[in-house]
């Protein structure tokens, strides 16, 4: 059985309209050994996937699935590799027509949000919390409509991109 994060990634991919280019970066070797970033030949990716929309540009996306109504920062920046990933996403976001985002699916409440990497970095610098509450996503992010199928989900990517 697949873990919930992998299932979310598959559901996200199946939600991408055919006219958009989508690519999911291959997982590094460390992901197969419980997230051990100390493997000798482990590479790291800038994000989980990229999406090129002909109307809005290139989107570098880190996908996160979490239960509950907040997501611990340790799930996003828990080690040096993850912090480098955030730094790289922040740098990439400075280029025109390039958008770096966290997309978090809160499965307990069946809600999904996009948060720009800039808003994420602002949160980590200005808040003294160990998790990001769903209220922060409501105030600073964009909610992505979720359609529940029998056991899987589809996400309304077109509507989300129109709100950017």
């Amino acid at each position: 059985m697949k873990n919930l994060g992998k299932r979310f990634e598959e559901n996200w991919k199946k939600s991408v309209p055919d006219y958009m280019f989508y690519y999911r970066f291959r997982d590094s070797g460390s992901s197969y050994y419980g997230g051990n970033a100390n493997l000798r030949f482990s590479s790291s990716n800038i994000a989980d996937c990229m999406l090129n929309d002909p109307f809005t540009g290139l989107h570098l996306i880190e996908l996160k699935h979490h239960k509950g109504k907040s997501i611990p920062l340790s799930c996003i920046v828990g080690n040096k590799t993850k912090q480098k990933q955030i730094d790289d996403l922040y740098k990439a976001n400075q280029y025109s027509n390039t958008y770096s985002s966290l997309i978090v699916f809160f499965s307990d409440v069946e809600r999904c949000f996009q948060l720009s990497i800039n808003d994420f970095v602002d949160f980590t610098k200005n808040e003294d919390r160990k998790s990001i509450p769903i209220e922060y996503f409501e105030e600073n992010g964009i909610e992505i409509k979720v359609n529940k199928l029998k056991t899987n989900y589809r996400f309304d990517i077109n509507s989300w991109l129109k709100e950017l």
Side-chain angles (χ1 to χ4, degrees), residues 4-5 8 63-76 103-111 131-132 134 137:
L4 295 174
F8 171 48
L63 297 167
K64 297 293 181 189
H65 172 276
H66 204 73
K67 292 186 173 187
K69 292 187 178 181
S70 67
I71 183 167
L73 291 175
S74 62
C75 291
I76 303 168
I103 295 188
V104 180
F105 179 50
F106 295 96
S107 60
D108 284 352
V109 292
E110 296 181 347
R111 294 180 74 191
S131 65
I132 305 175
I134 199 168
F137 288 91

Side-chain angles (χ1 to χ4, degrees), residues 3 7 11-12 14-15 22 30 34 55 60-61 64 71 73-74 83-84 86 95 97 99 101 115 129 145 153 161:
N3 73 33
R7 184 180 292 171
N11 287 330
W12 182 262
K14 289 177 182 176
S15 301
Y22 174 85
S30 68
F55 306 108
L60 298 168
I61 302 168
K64 297 293 181 189
I71 183 167
L73 291 175
S74 62
Q83 184 58 55
K84 180 176 177 353
I86 297 299
Y95 291 91
N97 298 323
Y99 304 91
S101 301
L115 187 66
R129 296 183 60 126
K145 295 175 188 167
Y153 295 89
L161 292 174

Side-chain angles (χ1 to χ4, degrees), residues 25 44-49 60-62 85-86 88-89 92 100:
F25 296 105
S44 61
N45 295 319
I46 192 167
D48 285 325
C49 61
L60 298 168
I61 302 168
E62 182 64 21
Q85 182 182 37
I86 297 299
D88 289 346
L89 285 169
S100 299

Side-chain angles (χ1 to χ4, degrees), residues 16-54:
V16 175
D18 291 337
Y19 70 89
M20 293 181 195
F21 174 74
Y22 174 85
Y23 182 78
R24 186 186 180 297
F25 296 105
R26 288 180 175 84
D27 286 329
S28 69
S30 68
S31 66
Y32 296 105
Y33 298 99
N36 184 352
N38 296 322
L39 289 176
R40 188 168 180 188
F41 297 109
S42 177
S43 64
S44 61
N45 295 319
I46 192 167
D48 285 325
C49 61
M50 69 178 195
L51 177 75
N52 194 6
D53 173 33

Side-chain angles (χ1 to χ4, degrees), residues 139-152:
E139 293 169 13
N140 298 284
I142 297 173
E143 187 161 6
I144 301 170
K145 295 175 188 167
V146 177
N147 181 26
K148 185 172 184 177
L149 307 175
K150 285 184 182 181
T151 58
N152 291 302

Side-chain angles (χ1 to χ4, degrees), residues 109-122:
V109 292
E110 296 181 347
R111 294 180 74 191
C112 186
F113 293 90
Q114 177 263 344
L115 187 66
S116 78
I117 201 68
N118 291 354
D119 287 330
F120 172 76
V121 170
D122 286 347

